[in-house]
Amino acid sequence: MSNKTLDLLSKRRTQYALGKTLPIPTDAVEELIKAAIRHAPSSFNSQSSRAVILFGAESEKVWSLIEAELRKIVPEDAFAPTAAKMAGFAAGAGTVLFYEDQDTIRGLQEQFPLYADAFPGFANHSAGMAQLAVWTALAEEGIGASLQHYNPVADAALAEAFGVPSSWKLIAQMPFGSHAGEIGPKTFIEDDTRFITLGK
Ligand SMILES: Cc1cc2nc3c(=O)[nH]c(=O)nc-3n(C[C@H](O)[C@H](O)[C@H](O)COP(=O)(O)O)c2cc1C
């Protein structure tokens, strides 16, 4: 089946081997990330997703701050693989920090008490949609990326370093850059185990 969206969705893959040379200017990457998040859906159109978009030395700072926090909890003699991972992310051109604004979620809970318990979950769904939108938009431009979760270990350090409002909760980190290596093939489970279609 030929479909532009499916082509793009299949082009988006996890790329750990990142380089610094972006195929488009940083201004264009910034606008792409903002537009992708702007167009991503959110519950009641609450637009709870937030992002910190970091390039160059500011992106490298993310990974040195996370590394410093991890050094406090990972034994020194077992740290080499972690240090290598941090160096790999820092080798990219940039990092997007994805947040969800807790004030927006609290506002929804007050406005719609019937759904109060559901809103934190909805915000996580919205975050996932924003992440997929950004990841796929980057892929279309030939930019590789991966999705990381070094929260909450480095939340405070990152918030302080980048002036992040206290109501923003860190959800994920997306290091991105040029493709500096091949991505292996992806396997898929059988359709029979995941889909039920009726009434065609
Ligand atoms: C909700 C979610 C959480 C993920 N967390 C991580 C993570 O913490 N670290 C990581 O390296 N990859 C993470 N990934 C990436 C997956 O491992 C990856 O998407 C999956 O193996 C499929 O490979 P693909 O991205 O190449 O299609 C996550 C993906 C999703 C959707």
Side-chain angles (χ1 to χ4, degrees), residues 78-134:
F79 201 75
T82 303
K85 278 174 95 172
M86 298 300 115
F89 301 138
T95 301
V96 185
L97 304 177
F98 288 91
Y99 291 85
E100 286 293 312
D101 180 38
Q102 303 304 297
D103 283 350
T104 302
I105 296 165
R106 270 189 290 276
L108 285 166
Q109 289 174 317
E110 283 161 22
Q111 208 184 337
F112 306 103
L114 200 60
Y115 299 109
D117 292 347
F119 284 120
F122 286 168
N124 277 333
H125 302 177
S126 299
M129 296 198 187
Q131 290 157 31
L132 179 65
V134 170

Side-chain angles (χ1 to χ4, degrees), residues 131 147-153 171-173:
Q131 290 157 31
L147 189 62
Q148 301 303 319
H149 294 90
Y150 291 100
N151 39 295
V153 65
I171 306 290
Q173 307 83 47

Side-chain angles (χ1 to χ4, degrees), residues 12-14 16 89 131 135 146-149 183 186:
R12 182 224 53 80
R13 294 293 314 283
T14 292
Y16 293 113
F89 301 138
Q131 290 157 31
W135 203 348
S146 74
L147 189 62
Q148 301 303 319
H149 294 90
I183 301 173
K186 184 172 174 177

Side-chain angles (χ1 to χ4, degrees), residues 152-185:
V153 65
D155 292 22
L158 295 171
E160 194 188 340
F162 303 119
V164 178
S166 60
S167 66
W168 294 16
K169 182 182 174 198
L170 184 60
I171 306 290
Q173 307 83 47
M174 185 173 287
F176 61 85
S178 43
H179 287 283
E182 293 296 312
I183 301 173

